[in-house]
Amino acid sequence: MNIEMTLTLFGNEIFIPSTIINSWIIVILLSIFAIVVNRKLKKVNAAEKPSGLINVIEMSVEGVQSLVKSTMGDKNLGFVPYIGTLAIYLAVANLFGLLGFKPPTSDYNVPLALALITFFMTQYYGIKSKGLGGYTKSFFEPIPFLAPLNVIGELANPVSLSFRLFGNILSGVIIMGLLYGALGWIAPIVTPALHVYFDLFAGLIQTFIFIMLTMVFVSMAME
């Protein structure tokens, strides 16, 4: 299912692809979900017994906290809200194909934007923890001769991070599209198992890899 729009602004036509619209839909749905959960949490705080949804949310939060703690250490638990938000958005975006929509992460602009956030966080917290002098010095280690390679490697991180996510999700979209076109009316009978792999399994794996690399890059910059 592809929903696309064309807007006219000051006499210029602006094309909005389906991936951007789907991304807006996900943000709206997640915002509504957050409001509902927040209201339920207030009722729990008012001595009402936790429901099944709240128990799942608590287990998810504890899981993210444990992951951040084991990867970044106790002192960096302040990253839990960001890592949790990133994980939820990526999981829903990658799994959007199960509903017949084109996943936002199959558009390179989305993975690149998220990878750039990770990149700038890495630089910011690296400078914050080491100071500008210490951060700059780290590029000349272990020997000054390697400084250019260290800089190139740092600049390559957002490219590799975004292409890994983009390539895996887009390949699944292309393969499923080709299968639907080739199989015709029997596609719904044959393709469910492939949807489980390309949309469910691969989508969750890529979500996990992206958040893990984000935590590793930031924590390494702070060491």
Side-chain angles (χ1 to χ4, degrees):
M1 184 184 301
N2 292 324
I3 305 174
E4 300 175 344
M5 295 175 57
T6 301
L7 302 179
T8 302
L9 185 64
F10 302 113
N12 298 316
E13 288 190 350
I14 302 175
F15 175 71
I16 303 177
S18 60
T19 49
I20 300 301
I21 295 175
N22 292 344
S23 186
W24 292 346
I25 293 173
I26 291 172
V27 171
I28 292 172
L29 291 177
L30 290 179
S31 299
I32 294 173
F33 178 74
I35 294 171
V36 172
V37 170
N38 185 52
R39 290 180 177 176
K40 287 184 176 291
L41 283 173
K42 289 181 179 179
K43 292 181 179 179
V44 170
N45 294 334
E48 182 179 308
K49 294 185 68 175
S51 64
L53 175 62
I54 297 302
N55 289 332
V56 172
I57 296 298
E58 289 179 349
M59 291 176 59
S60 300
V61 171
E62 290 174 359
V64 174
Q65 288 177 336
S66 177
L67 189 61
V68 172
K69 182 178 179 180
S70 62
T71 306
M72 305 183 73
D74 292 331
K75 62 181 180 179
N76 291 319
L77 285 176
F79 288 96
V80 168
Y82 173 70
I83 297 299
T85 301
L86 182 62
I88 292 171
Y89 173 79
L90 281 175
V92 175
N94 291 344
L95 298 179
F96 223 41
L98 291 172
L99 302 178
F101 293 90
K102 188 175 182 180
T105 42
S106 64
D107 182 340
Y108 184 62
N109 293 294
V110 176
L112 179 61
L114 296 175
L116 286 175
I117 293 174
T118 294
F119 174 76
F120 288 117
M121 284 180 61
T122 301
Q123 312 315 310
Y124 172 77
Y125 284 103
I127 295 173
K128 184 179 180 180
S129 62
K130 298 178 182 178
L132 183 59
Y135 176 74
T136 304
K137 182 182 176 182
S138 65
F139 286 98
F140 294 88
E141 296 175 347
I143 56 176
F145 177 75
L146 294 178
L149 292 178
N150 291 334
V151 172
I152 293 173
E154 192 70 21
L155 294 175
N157 283 339
V159 178
S160 62
L161 187 61
S162 58
F163 266 112
R164 181 181 291 105
L165 175 60
F166 165 70
N168 281 278
I169 301 302
L170 180 62
S171 62
V173 172
I174 292 174
I175 291 173
M176 294 307 300
L178 291 174
L179 286 174
Y180 274 105
L183 297 176
W185 63 272
I186 66 171
I189 303 173
V190 179
T191 56
L194 294 175
H195 269 299
V196 170
Y197 175 77
F198 287 115
D199 293 324
L200 183 59
F201 179 73
L204 293 179
I205 287 295
Q206 291 307 313
T207 297
F208 179 75
I209 291 174
F210 195 98
I211 64 172
M212 282 297 298
L213 289 176
T214 294
M215 290 187 289
V216 169
F217 289 157
V218 175
S219 60
M220 287 179 61
M222 298 172 66
E223 292 177 355

